[in-house]
Every structure is written in structure tokens, then in C-alpha cells.
Amino acid sequence: VVAAHVVDDGFVEAVATDTYRLGIHDAVQRNHGNFGCAAADVDDHRAAGFVYRNACTDSGSPNKFTVSGKIDHATSPNVFLEQVGYDNSGQKVVDSGKIAADGSYSLKAVAKEQNLYLLTIDHKSIAVFVNDNSDIKISTDLDRTFRTPYVSNSDATKSIYEFLNTFRSKDSILA
């Protein structure tokens, strides 16, 4: 199980459950798999304290998606798209790219079903999202203290951030 928590600046960080796992992934080329699923493939997933239901209805053809946007004040030009594993296997890099001089980026992947993904800069998490649309937009300014990214075309991701912001505000009240 991969856990996630909200740190003081509002970031979601994945918490490694197997800190002794060794592995290096040099994502020189894209790692697109050829996945598909039957119309009856329906799963419940639990992540970060909420439940979402997804169903793959595209019988046999892969579900391609793109995540793109703008990242202001990035500390490195290296951006990664990492899939969060449900099986204690950690994150898996599924695409990588460079952030352009104007902050724009675009990454692509193929997924068998909806899943949690991290957008990272040099493998440091800057956003979490669900691939519930084929064209997801995520933009953020890394200079801001509390960073809730601008998200469009992903209702599931918006729900994640609504949950995290509500949790953070209630947690702050208790402190």
C-alpha cells in the first residue's frame, strides 16, 4: 500500500512503504504498454481516504491520456509522470520530458484503468491526479507556499484537492 499525506505547504507526498527498495529508472524513452480491458472490468479503489469507482468500457483498446500545462518556477527542467502502485511496488515512471522555457510541458501514457499518478520534478512530487480524461491540464506555480494546482478536465483530481484542502483546513483548526 502506498500512503499519501499532506505536508505543511499543501503538497501531497507519497510515503514510501518499502524504503529499502533499490531501483533506477532512466526514462530515456516512453514506456507505453499495450493494455486493454473487458467491458465488465469494474474496480473500487481506495486512496488518501476517499473512494472512487471506475469502469473500463473500451473493450480491448488502450486508454491513452495526456497531461499537460504550465509549471512556473521549476527548479529543474526534468518532469516525470509516475504511476502510483497499489501493490507496494512504489511509483513507476511512465513518461518523462523537459519543461520548456515558458514553463509548458506535455506527457503521455497508456493505462488499463483509472489510477493515481504523480507529476514530479526530478522525482519530487508537485501534483497528484487521476487519469479520468484523455486530456488533463495541470498548472502550478512552485513559488507559492500553499500550492493547489489549477486542474481542468479531471473531475476526480478536483475532488482529490477539494478533499485535501478541506482536510487541511480542519486539521489547521484542531492545531
Side-chain angles (χ1 to χ4, degrees):
V1 173
V2 173
H5 71 281
V6 181
V7 292
D8 290 335
D9 64 0
F11 260 159
V12 175
E13 290 186 350
V15 178
T17 55
D18 183 4
T19 56
Y20 295 102
R21 181 170 95 52
L22 295 176
I24 297 174
H25 188 306
D26 294 325
V28 175
Q29 48 186 285
R30 295 177 186 214
N31 297 318
H32 295 220
N34 186 15
F35 298 109
C37 62
D41 185 9
V42 177
D43 294 310
D44 286 302
H45 296 281
R46 183 173 299 274
F50 51 89
V51 176
Y52 67 93
R53 179 177 289 257
N54 66 68
C56 179
T57 58
D58 190 3
S59 59
S61 65
N63 296 314
K64 299 176 185 179
F65 69 94
T66 300
V67 60
S68 61
K70 187 173 179 184
I71 301 171
D72 291 324
H73 302 103
T75 56
S76 168
N78 303 317
V79 61
F80 296 86
L81 176 57
E82 301 183 24
Q83 182 178 6
V84 177
Y86 290 114
D87 59 358
N88 200 26
S89 61
Q91 286 92 251
K92 174 185 169 189
V93 174
V94 294
D95 197 10
S96 65
K98 297 285 184 188
I99 299 172
D102 67 353
S104 63
Y105 71 94
S106 182
L107 301 169
K108 298 176 187 258
V110 177
K112 179 180 175 183
E113 60 189 355
Q114 288 181 3
N115 202 342
L116 283 174
Y117 288 86
L118 297 176
L119 188 59
T120 69
I121 303 246
D122 283 339
H123 306 291
K124 293 179 183 135
S125 181
I126 63 166
V128 61
F129 71 96
V130 176
N131 61 315
D132 62 337
N133 192 306
S134 63
D135 185 25
I136 299 168
K137 307 287 186 198
I138 300 177
S139 296
T140 191
D141 184 347
L142 299 182
D143 247 5
R144 294 186 307 176
T145 303
F146 183 68
R147 296 180 281 261
T148 297
Y150 171 77
V151 177
S152 64
N153 297 340
S154 177
D155 291 338
T157 302
K158 288 178 185 178
S159 293
I160 289 172
Y161 282 100
E162 287 172 13
F163 170 81
L164 292 173
N165 289 334
T166 300
F167 180 83
R168 184 176 185 273
S169 70
K170 288 180 180 180
D171 185 49
S172 297
I173 292 170
L174 298 175

